[in-house]
């Protein structure tokens, strides 16, 4: 009676999970937010997968804990990385033979959700195998078998309702909803069968055993209906359907047999004989249906012996009428076997190797918060810098403070000597020009990476289009154009960023050339500078001069205050991680906009007021400077106009030198940071193309195999299993939210924002950026077109040291796959 069915396992394929996981974790979690190196954790994850998936084929109870741990790790990891950012071509074969040559259909999908579905299937299958091998003579074996069959039924039932949502494609037949429903029904019937065994083993009352057996018969009847569907013709193992049919008849016989024992105890001999007679017939039917002559044989023998004895007693003693079995009261049913819900974690001692990675919703909230915070900081600092830039321009046009320091008319004013010393210490115009000449190489590097990324996308699309044209409607996978739409949009945005940076480079070059003569003069030593500036009249002390000196002191005080405000704006930090985690734990969701705005207002409200006050104070200060300078000019009319013009020119050249120095330094950083982002973008495309290539090869293999075996067929789907589920899956795929390939809706593009006259190159908000990066570019007077929106790609966790340290991608030297 213990002939129990074990579900076969899906066979996985070896796949490299290390490189894609490394890419996605580095691109999602930057070192600015997460200092931990996950190389060891990723390697352990790879080992765990190999151990769990292949240990399952040993079909021991100890294998269950290993595969449970892998599933738990999958669940934990899926909640911490963007669902469709992982491009690992998971390939699994159908668990059931499908062709006349014994080959098996396979399906390759590059999502963790598909891997979870297949691993769950194998967990349920392994549970059925372990349960089927338990000794039904021991209490421990019975308990374990009952628990595992109920868990297996629960998992198959869970998969039935979730598989289409999880993979968004036509599944292989073994994980179709119809198949999973049939397997769940079989597992719960076998669990009820175990409870019948346990009731007999525990010597429970005959009436209870009869009711348990009646429920087992009912469950096997339900399973048989599902297993005999037309779509499953020649699908199952050839012994399964006969055995299920035999079990249905056998447990009906068992219920009649044990109910006859109740009748015997109650001295209702006529009913006892009727039930025993029916039980003997059903036991024979069970053996005939199952093609197993020994199925229920012990109970069949007992029933026959009891029937002979009961008839003999009735003939000689009781002489009761034998009722028609159809007229007897139905036997009640005792339903004990239940679908056990899928519990998480499954393993008893699960340890999350990636526990320090934040849930992806928290990470999104932190990124959005940082974007809002940095945008505000950049805007306030930009206001200060633009205001200071205007102040410098006013002072340079008035030759202040040099004009009131020119007491002799022949010596260079001290403020100009200080400015010249700064320029020389910074390397002079030669260092500025050398840095400027590096930009074209940095620019070309980014163009090469973007060109290579677009080439890979085009190559993948051309290949897919060619095969779609070749195989027509049999080429069933989602078209490349639909999957790569967001890739293409982001590539164009990167192209626009590069084009805007080229325009910024041109503005920087023009400004450099405009102030070249003055910067060359400032780059000379003090004696040469003295010989260059013409002599003029000595300064005469007056009330206007005295007032201007006091105002120049106020200017320096104002600039110092602004340096402090800017420093405070940059240094204010707050850790919103705990706040967002708490909100997620308490409410199940994060109201990031309101929480961020409230926190930012508390942190930066006082500093914003200081910025407004500083700008208002400057307006009053400039007005006083201009009025006192007019009086100063009236007092010194004609006092050496050529000397004053030269001093004004050199003052403006100094301001331009400092601005260009910042422009070029941060322009170079912009290009290097953009390189990191483009490398991540290229890695995503490379992973995508590799996953599509693997899927293409599998689909072509299935197509050509089926063509050679059975003629043209559509593989790997069997639409009749699903009653139109494929169109729904494709419709969902068009929506982009559940595609088996990344739509890149999270991560998106590092679109520059806040570009203005003070920032010719796009500004990227940290996080994530390499250590020491303050997220601000001190550009001054160059106009630059603003860009809308911001949604940062996360650059690799380990920041590149500079242009020369990055591997060359693009052109004739594309990145090589390690597979």
């Amino acid at each position: 009676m213990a002939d129990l069915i074990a579900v076969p396992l899906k066979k996985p394929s070896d796949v490299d999970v290390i490189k894609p996981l490394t890419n996605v974790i580095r691109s999602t979690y930057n070192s600015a937010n997460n200092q931990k190196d996950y190389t060891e954790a990723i390697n352990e994850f790879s080992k765990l997968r190999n151990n769990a998936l292949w240990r399952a084929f040993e079909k021991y109870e100890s294998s269950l804990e290993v595969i449970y741990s892998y599933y738990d790790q999958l669940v934990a990891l899926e909640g911490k990385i963007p669902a469709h950012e992982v491009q690992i071509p998971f390939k699994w074969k159908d668990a059931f033979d499908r062709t006349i040559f014994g080959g098996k259909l396979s399906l390759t999908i590059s999502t963790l959700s598909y891997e979870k579905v297949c691993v769950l299937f194998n967990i349920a299958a392994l549970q059925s195998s372990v349960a089927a091998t338990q000794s039904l003579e021991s209490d421990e074996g019975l308990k374990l078998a009952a628990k595992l069959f109920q868990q297996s039924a629960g998992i198959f039932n869970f998969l039935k309702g979730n598989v289409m949502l999880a993979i968004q494609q036509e599944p292989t037949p073994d994980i179709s909803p119809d198949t999973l429903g049939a397997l769940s029904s079989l597992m719960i019937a076998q669990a009820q069968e175990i409870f019948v065994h346990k009731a007999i083993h525990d010597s429970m009352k005959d009436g209870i055993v009869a009711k348990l057996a009646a429920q087992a018969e009912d469950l096997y009847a339900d399973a048989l209906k599902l297993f005999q569907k037309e779509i499953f013709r020649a699908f199952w193992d050839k012994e399964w359907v006969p055995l299920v049919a035999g079990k249905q008849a056998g447990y009906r016989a068992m219920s009649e047999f044990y109910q006859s024992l109740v009748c015997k105890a109650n001295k209702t001999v006529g009913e006892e004989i009727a039930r025993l007679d029916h039980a003997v017939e059903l036991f024979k039917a069970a053996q005939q249906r199952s093609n197993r002559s020994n199925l229920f044989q012990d109970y069949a023998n007992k029933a026959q012996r009891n029937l002979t004895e009961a008839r003999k007693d009735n003939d000689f003693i009781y002489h009761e009428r034998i009722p028609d079995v159809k007229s007897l009261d139905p036997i009640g049913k005792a339903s004990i076997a239940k679908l056990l819900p899928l519990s998480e974690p499954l393993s008893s001692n699960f340890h999350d190797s990636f526990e320090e990675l934040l849930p992806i919703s928290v990470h999104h909230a932190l990124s959005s918060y940082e974007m809002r915070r940095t945008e505000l900081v950049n805007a306030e600092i930009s206001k200060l810098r633009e205001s200071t830039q205007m102040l410098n321009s006013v002072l340079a046009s008035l030759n202040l403070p040099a004009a009131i320091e020119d007491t002799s008319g022949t010596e260079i004013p001290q403020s100009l000597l200080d400015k010249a010393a700064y320029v020389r210490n910074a390397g002079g115009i030669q260092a500025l020009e050398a840095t400027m000449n590096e930009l074209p190489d940095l620019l070309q590097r980014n163009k090469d990476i973007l060109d290579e990324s677009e080439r890979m996308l085009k190559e993948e699309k051309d290949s897919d289009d060619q095969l779609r044209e070749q195989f027509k409607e049999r080429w069933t996978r989602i078209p490349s154009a639909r999957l790569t739409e967001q890739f293409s949009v982001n590539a164009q945005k990167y192209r626009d960023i590069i084009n805007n940076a080229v325009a910024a480079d041109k503005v920087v070059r023009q400004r450099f050339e405009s102030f070249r003569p003055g910067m060359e003069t400032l780059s000379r030593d003090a004696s040469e500078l003295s010989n260059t500036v013409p002599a003029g009249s000595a300064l005469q002390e007056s009330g206007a001069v005295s007032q201007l000196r006091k105002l120049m002191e106020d200017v320096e005080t104002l600039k110092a205050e602004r340096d402090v405000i800017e420093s405070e704006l940059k240094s204010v930090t707050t850790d919103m991680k705990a706040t967002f985690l708490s909100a997620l734990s308490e409410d199940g969701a994060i109201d990031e906009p309101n929480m961020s705005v409230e926190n930012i207002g508390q942190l930066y409200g006082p500093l914003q007021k200081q910025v407004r006050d500083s700008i208002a104070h400057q307006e009053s200060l400039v007005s006083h400077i201009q009025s006192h300078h007019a009086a100063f000019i009236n007092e010194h009319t004609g006092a050496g106009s050529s000397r004053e013009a030269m001093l004004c020119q050199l003052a403006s050249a100094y301001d331009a030198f400092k601005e260009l120095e910042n422009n070029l330094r941060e322009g170079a950083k912009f290009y290097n940071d953009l390189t990191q982002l483009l490398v991540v973008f290229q890695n995503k495309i490379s992973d995508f193309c590799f996953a599509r290539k693997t899927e293409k090869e599998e689909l072509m293999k299935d197509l050509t195999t089926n063509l050679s075996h059975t003629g043209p067929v559509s593989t790997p789907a069997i639409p009749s299993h699903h009653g139109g589920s494929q169109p729904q899956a494709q419709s969902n795929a068009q929506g982009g939210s559940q595609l088996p390939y990344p739509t890149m809706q999270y991560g998106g593009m590092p679109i520059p924002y806040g570009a203005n006259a003070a920032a010719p190159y796009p500004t990227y908000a940290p996080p994530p950026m390499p250590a020491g990066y303050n997220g601000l570019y001190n550009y001054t007077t160059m106009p630059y077109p603003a860009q809308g929106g911001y949604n940062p790609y996360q650059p690799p966790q380990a920041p590149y040291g500079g242009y020369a340290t990055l591997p060359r991608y693009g052109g004739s030297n594309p990145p090589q796959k390690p597979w």
Side-chain angles (χ1 to χ4, degrees), residues 590-805:
I590 301 173
D591 185 10
E592 182 274 325
N594 288 333
M595 295 173 69
S596 295
V597 169
E598 180 181 358
N599 179 268
I600 289 172
Q602 293 174 352
L603 288 175
Y604 293 98
L607 291 174
Q608 287 179 290
K609 183 178 184 302
Q610 291 182 39
V611 171
R612 292 193 297 270
D613 291 344
S614 178
I615 293 174
H617 179 50
Q618 176 175 312
E619 294 176 359
S620 172
L621 188 60
V622 168
S623 176
H624 284 88
I625 290 172
Q626 288 173 331
S627 63
H628 288 290
H629 184 266
F632 170 76
I633 292 298
N634 290 333
E635 294 173 359
H636 298 81
T637 301
S641 59
S642 61
R643 176 180 175 84
E644 182 150 339
M646 173 67 78
L647 293 177
C648 288
Q649 177 187 352
L650 294 178
S652 296
Y654 166 75
D655 291 334
F657 181 90
K658 291 193 69 176
E659 293 161 9
L660 289 170
E661 188 179 36
N662 284 331
N663 291 161
L664 295 173
R665 179 178 62 251
E666 296 182 352
K669 179 166 181 53
F670 159 75
Y671 280 125
N672 281 324
D673 289 342
L674 181 60
T675 298
Q676 296 183 47
L677 300 172
L678 285 171
V679 168
V680 171
F681 181 61
Q682 186 188 46
N683 284 341
K684 291 177 184 292
I685 291 176
S686 180
D687 289 345
F688 167 80
C689 291
F690 177 75
R692 286 283 282 183
K693 178 176 179 290
T694 302
E695 182 192 37
K696 176 184 72 175
E697 292 170 351
E698 290 300 322
L699 184 53
M700 288 185 65
K701 181 180 177 182
D702 287 339
L703 283 171
T704 54
T705 299
N706 281 280
L707 282 171
S708 63
H709 291 167
T710 59
V713 294
S714 178
T715 58
I718 51 169
S720 59
H721 279 219
H722 310 289
S725 60
Q726 173 71 1
Q728 179 185 359
Q730 297 225 352
S731 173
N732 291 338
Q734 278 183 319
S737 63
Q738 294 291 337
L739 290 176
Y741 304 96
T743 62
M744 300 171 63
Q745 291 174 347
Y746 169 72
M749 278 289 302
I751 303 171
Y753 68 88
N756 51 48
Y761 295 101
T763 300
Y764 294 91
M769 281 294 167
Y773 169 63
N774 64 18
L776 298 167
Y777 301 125
N778 183 21
Y779 298 136
T780 51
T781 59
M782 284 75 72
Y784 190 71
Q787 299 286 328
Y790 175 78
N791 199 352
Y793 253 136
Q794 314 293 356
Q797 185 174 356
Y800 294 101
Y803 174 79
T805 65

Side-chain angles (χ1 to χ4, degrees), residues 20 35 117 164 177 335 395 430 512 523-524 547 677 721 765 787:
Q35 300 288 344
V117 164
M164 297 306 297
S335 178
L395 294 178
Q430 296 82 4
F512 174 82
S523 300
R524 300 169 185 169
Q547 287 296 323
L677 300 172
H721 279 219
Q787 299 286 328

Side-chain angles (χ1 to χ4, degrees), residues 38-286:
Y38 283 92
T39 301
E40 183 177 349
I42 293 171
N43 289 334
E44 287 300 319
F45 178 80
S46 178
K47 293 177 183 176
L48 178 60
R49 180 181 193 270
N50 293 333
N51 188 29
L53 300 188
W54 297 111
R55 275 279 302 276
F57 287 89
E58 298 175 4
K59 300 183 179 179
Y60 297 137
E61 184 182 354
S62 59
S63 300
L64 283 170
E65 189 64 25
V66 180
I67 196 169
Y68 288 168
S69 295
Y70 176 58
Y71 176 77
D72 290 338
Q73 188 63 76
L74 273 177
V75 172
L77 188 60
E78 188 180 38
K80 297 177 180 180
I81 58 178
H84 297 294
E85 290 285 311
V86 177
Q87 283 301 302
I88 305 173
F90 294 113
K91 174 187 174 184
W92 289 80
K93 287 188 176 181
D94 191 303
F96 300 96
D97 290 341
R98 294 296 301 152
T99 73
I100 59 176
F101 296 99
K104 297 184 179 181
L105 289 178
S106 64
L107 181 62
T108 302
I109 303 179
S110 302
T111 61
L112 289 178
S113 58
Y114 175 59
E115 175 84 344
K116 278 176 54 184
V117 164
C118 297
V119 171
L120 261 186
F121 182 97
N122 270 12
I123 287 175
L126 181 57
Q127 287 172 336
S128 73
S129 296
V130 175
T133 60
Q134 295 305 304
S135 170
L136 303 185
E137 303 301 322
S138 70
D139 192 58
E140 293 77 11
L142 288 167
K143 288 181 179 178
L144 180 60
K147 182 183 76 170
L148 291 178
F149 276 132
Q150 291 178 98
Q151 287 179 335
S152 179
I155 290 175
F156 282 131
N157 187 65
F158 171 82
L159 288 175
K160 174 189 174 183
N162 291 275
V163 63
M164 297 306 297
L165 180 64
I167 68 175
Q168 289 294 312
Q169 285 194 42
E170 187 76 7
T172 47
D174 57 343
I175 56 173
S176 72
D178 287 323
T179 305
L180 295 166
L183 292 175
S184 177
S185 180
L186 174 62
M187 292 300 106
I188 201 66
Q190 294 191 144
Q192 183 73 20
E193 177 179 354
I194 296 299
F195 284 117
V196 175
H197 278 275
K198 181 161 177 56
I200 296 171
H201 179 270
D202 293 347
S203 301
M204 290 186 179
K205 293 181 180 180
D206 296 328
I208 294 177
V209 177
K211 292 178 180 180
L212 290 171
Q215 178 65 16
E217 183 268 336
D218 200 40
L219 292 173
Y220 271 115
D222 292 340
L224 185 60
K225 291 177 184 177
L226 296 176
F227 271 69
Q228 287 182 317
K229 285 185 176 181
E230 181 64 27
I231 57 174
F232 292 128
R233 184 178 296 278
F235 181 80
W236 310 110
D237 184 292
K238 63 181 181 180
E239 296 182 353
W240 282 20
V241 173
L243 181 57
V244 172
K247 289 286 186 76
Q248 179 200 0
Y251 278 99
R252 175 65 184 276
M254 287 284 289
S255 67
E256 295 289 355
F257 171 71
Y258 273 91
Q259 190 63 29
S260 75
L261 297 179
V262 176
C263 296
K264 183 177 181 179
N266 295 334
K267 304 298 184 180
T268 53
V269 179
E271 181 179 345
E272 177 190 4
I273 292 173
R275 292 193 182 280
L276 283 171
D277 191 53
H278 191 41
V280 169
E281 292 177 0
L282 288 170
F283 280 131
K284 290 179 181 178

Side-chain angles (χ1 to χ4, degrees), residues 350-465:
F350 172 63
H351 171 69
D352 185 2
S353 300
F354 301 90
E355 61 184 349
E356 294 185 29
L357 287 182
L358 295 174
I360 197 63
S361 58
V362 175
H363 180 69
H364 284 178
L366 286 173
S367 296
S368 298
Y369 170 82
E370 193 62 27
M371 179 190 73
R372 298 175 194 275
R373 187 194 70 81
T374 306
E375 187 170 9
L376 180 142
V377 170
N378 283 357
E380 296 304 313
I381 292 180
S382 179
K383 291 176 185 177
L384 287 177
R385 292 182 176 181
E386 288 177 353
S387 184
T388 301
Q389 177 185 326
M390 185 185 73
L391 178 60
N392 288 337
S393 299
V394 170
L395 294 178
S397 67
L398 302 179
N399 190 28
L400 293 173
I404 59 176
E405 293 173 349
D406 194 11
T407 56
S408 65
T410 56
E411 296 180 359
I412 303 298
Q414 184 59 44
S415 63
L416 187 59
L417 290 175
D418 293 340
K419 292 175 180 178
Y422 176 90
V423 171
R424 290 195 301 273
N425 291 335
I429 192 173
Q430 296 82 4
L432 207 62
E433 190 166 21
T435 303
M436 185 178 301
N437 291 335
E438 293 176 359
L439 293 184
D441 288 339
L442 301 179
L443 169 65
Q444 188 59 45
R445 178 175 193 75
N446 288 313
K447 286 183 176 180
D448 288 346
I449 298 174
L450 185 56
D451 289 345
E452 174 63 14
S453 300
E454 292 178 329
R455 184 200 65 78
M456 287 191 292
L457 285 176
K458 183 178 184 302
E459 184 179 271
E460 196 281 325
K461 180 180 182 300
D462 290 345
S463 174
D464 185 67
D465 291 345

